[in-house]
Amino acid sequence: MTSLLVTKENCQATFTMEFTAEEFDAATDRAFKKNRGQITVPGFRKGKAPRNIIENRYGTGVFFEEAIDDLLNEEYPKALDSLDIEPVGRPDIQFGEEKLEKGKGFKVTVKVETAPEVTVKDYKGMAVERKFHKVTDEDVQRQLEMLQRRNARQITVEDGAKLEDTVILDYKGFVGEEQFEGGTADNQSLKLGSGQFIPGFEDQLVGIKPGEERDVKVTFPEEYHAENLAGKEAIFKCLVHEIKREELPALDDEFAKDASEFDTLEELKADEKRKLEESSEKAKEYDGKNAVVEKLVELNPITLPQAMIENETDAMLEEYEQQMSYQGISLDMYCKYMDKTIEDLRNEMKPQAEGRVKSRLALKAVAAQENIEVTDAEIEAEQQKMADQYKMELAKVKEAFGPENIKLLKEDIKNTKAIELLYANAKFTDVEDKPKA
């Protein structure tokens, strides 16, 4: 097969693919061998009819369509690579006016939308704001309190229940004099203030003691999922059996010994502050790298073919559907719950999809202009990370990588290197990210 570029401009490429008679005949022969077992001809056992008999009965071109499909499927990607064309849509393939015949080659003309050819400028020394968080004593104290809560123990109390206490109770729900279905439970565990029950229920149990009964009066929300209860007043007859309360350990040297490898509370505080500062530095770097990519796109506007935005939106929707499935929720269920259509979701995702594509193209341009390359060692290092993440042997990960996956991995590594270059050359103004009042 010989490919020849005709034009490549305005996000569209036109090229020809010419196949020799030998290539066409070989593909037709493969199609015959693949399908002969399914063909019945009177006078022959199924699959045993000679090719010329089949062609006389069904036409000489009976295997042409499959032969052409196979040739195009195999050679089209090679033509794209050889002509340096990055398609973003389905190709439009046109045949010439010459009749397809055995023993003759054929030529097709291909038109396809392409990614824009991007050149970027002013990407070194960009002035960018970078947010950071200054670690405070209050941050350290919050970390210690979280550690304190993780080491809390539950104790049974006899005094009145407080918010944050867990009560073990029986309840029966009534609308008027009638007990309603689904409103009854025995030995139910409920943390007061958790918002687990409908509004007003948990607050009315504050102060109740073990063995005490209490009527809790509530009104179901108008949008309650059970239509027979929506908007109605109800009474829950409750009996509390037990009240459990978290008992926090004292924040002292003994706590530090029990909860960490340190001997004193001051050493534990110093370590928590160090970890917070390391996390803050990583967050600052992450924000700075996002900021330089955004600035790069801002300084170098790119006009995208609509097909690129649609393709990226499809990919994002697929990612979102997969995330939902991990939580046991289908995309249809999610849309129904959120009172949206899938098309609504697509429209919401399109601006982000457009931004993602522009960022990738701009970074690709930086990598090309800076002659950024990827070594085999760098590819293997990324594959090793995947092997470690999924607890697989490196050899198995490599086996799973086809040429297309290697190509995508190279692009990812190049983009990462391009971001590092932008980050290293940017002029940052650090802005403290203070919590909102």
Side-chain angles (χ1 to χ4, degrees):
M1 186 274 297
T2 304
S3 58
L4 179 66
L5 184 65
V6 179
T7 58
K8 186 181 179 185
E9 56 187 7
N10 299 324
C11 295
Q12 182 165 302
T14 302
F15 62 96
T16 60
M17 297 171 63
E18 187 167 1
F19 297 89
T20 65
E22 291 77 15
E23 289 170 329
F24 184 38
D25 287 346
T28 305
D29 190 51
R30 289 193 296 272
F32 158 68
K33 291 175 180 177
K34 179 181 176 182
N35 292 284
R36 67 184 298 181
Q38 307 301 318
I39 298 175
T40 301
V41 176
F44 295 90
R45 284 182 296 155
K46 186 176 182 180
K48 297 300 181 180
R51 177 174 168 181
N52 65 315
I53 299 295
I54 295 172
E55 290 177 339
N56 285 338
R57 180 174 179 81
Y58 295 102
T60 56
V62 63
F63 300 112
F64 284 2
E65 183 176 350
E66 184 163 340
I68 292 168
D69 285 345
D70 288 347
L71 282 173
L72 292 176
N73 287 336
E74 182 177 349
E75 299 297 334
Y76 175 68
K78 296 177 183 177
L80 295 175
D81 283 342
S82 67
L83 300 174
D84 193 25
I85 294 171
E86 183 181 343
V88 298
R90 296 178 64 84
D92 175 24
I93 300 176
Q94 299 292 331
F95 288 78
E97 294 183 0
E98 290 188 16
K99 184 180 178 181
L100 289 169
E101 295 180 32
K102 187 189 302 184
K104 286 181 61 177
F106 68 94
K107 183 166 73 172
V108 296
T109 300
V110 183
K111 293 182 179 180
V112 65
E113 272 194 295
T114 63
E117 295 184 2
V118 177
T119 302
V120 291
K121 60 182 181 179
D122 302 327
Y123 56 85
K124 287 185 177 178
M126 293 185 294
V128 179
E129 284 192 352
R130 177 175 56 183
K131 294 179 182 176
F132 77 98
H133 174 72
K134 184 178 179 181
V135 176
T136 65
D137 291 342
E138 288 78 10
D139 294 327
V140 176
Q141 185 62 29
R142 276 193 293 271
Q143 288 298 112
L144 290 175
E145 288 170 359
M146 287 171 58
L147 190 60
Q148 187 185 31
R149 284 194 294 274
R150 286 201 296 270
N151 286 272
R153 65 189 185 98
Q154 292 272 356
I155 60 170
T156 300
V157 297
E158 298 298 326
D159 60 346
K162 302 176 181 178
L163 288 175
E164 301 298 321
D165 286 350
T166 297
V167 297
I168 311 300
L169 77 160
D170 302 338
Y171 59 81
K172 295 177 181 178
F174 294 83
V175 172
E177 298 296 323
E178 184 179 349
Q179 186 174 344
F180 58 85
E181 186 178 351
T184 302
D186 293 329
N187 292 312
Q188 175 75 40
S189 177
L190 173 62
K191 185 172 184 177
L192 302 186
S194 65
Q196 183 180 345
F197 280 25
I198 60 176
F201 188 101
E202 296 167 24
D203 291 341
Q204 293 181 57
L205 290 177
V206 171
I208 198 169
K209 294 181 178 180
E212 186 178 335
E213 296 182 359
R214 182 174 294 182
D215 287 352
V216 172
K217 299 177 182 180
V218 296
T219 301
F220 283 96
E222 292 289 344
E223 67 278 8
Y224 195 66
H225 62 84
E227 292 182 3
N228 62 314
L229 298 174
K232 293 186 178 179
E233 293 183 353
I235 292 178
F236 284 87
K237 295 184 178 296
C238 301
L239 168 62
V240 169
H241 298 294
E242 189 178 6
I243 301 171
K244 295 181 179 180
R245 185 172 296 158
E246 281 189 346
E247 185 177 65
L248 299 176
L251 287 174
D252 54 20
D253 290 347
E254 287 303 313
F255 170 77
K257 291 176 184 177
D258 292 339
S260 72
E261 70 272 28
F262 300 104
D263 292 327
T264 68
L265 184 62
E266 287 307 310
E267 289 175 315
L268 176 58
K269 281 183 179 180
D271 187 63
E272 290 297 325
K273 184 174 184 179
R274 176 189 61 78
K275 288 188 287 189
L276 285 171
E277 287 173 342
E278 286 179 358
S279 178
S280 178
E281 279 299 308
K282 288 179 181 177
K284 183 172 75 171
E285 180 179 342
Y286 180 80
D287 185 79
K289 287 180 176 178
N290 283 336
V292 294
V293 174
E294 289 176 7
K295 191 70 173 180
L296 174 70
V297 172
E298 179 188 326
L299 293 175
N300 296 277
I302 301 170
T303 301
L304 299 177
Q306 190 61 32
M308 292 192 81
I309 301 173
E310 297 297 335
N311 291 344
E312 187 68 20
T313 305
D314 288 340
M316 288 178 62
L317 195 62
E318 190 174 327
E319 290 170 13
Y320 199 69
E321 185 171 16
Q322 193 171 39
Q323 291 170 9
M324 291 290 102
S325 70
Y326 292 151
Q327 301 173 37
I329 303 171
S330 71
L331 198 58
D332 287 338
M333 286 170 57
Y334 173 79
C335 287
K336 186 176 180 180
Y337 179 75
M338 298 300 292
D339 194 26
K340 294 179 180 179
T341 65
I342 289 180
E343 195 56 34
D344 290 335
L345 278 182
R346 283 182 56 81
N347 289 333
E348 289 173 7
M349 290 177 176
K350 278 184 181 179
Q352 186 183 353
E354 184 174 357
R356 280 170 49 160
V357 176
K358 287 181 177 180
S359 296
R360 279 203 303 271
L361 289 174
L363 290 170
K364 183 178 179 181
V366 171
Q369 290 168 220
E370 292 290 328
N371 297 313
I372 292 175
E373 297 295 337
V374 177
T375 66
D376 291 341
E378 288 169 331
I379 291 173
E380 184 169 304
E382 290 300 313
Q383 291 173 327
Q384 184 64 61
K385 289 180 185 177
M386 296 177 195
D388 294 341
Q389 181 181 354
Y390 295 106
K391 296 180 172 56
M392 294 172 62
E393 295 178 5
L394 178 60
K396 294 291 184 184
V397 172
K398 287 184 175 182
E399 282 177 21
F401 265 76
E404 188 61 28
N405 287 331
I406 290 291
K407 182 180 177 182
L408 292 173
L409 183 57
K410 280 185 176 180
E411 290 299 321
D412 285 345
I413 297 172
K414 281 186 179 181
N415 286 353
T416 299
K417 286 184 168 185
I419 293 172
E420 295 287 354
L421 182 144
L422 297 176
Y423 188 77
N425 286 277
K427 296 176 181 177
F428 288 107
T429 299
D430 289 341
V431 179
E432 187 173 358
D433 187 19
K434 295 181 179 180
K436 294 179 181 178

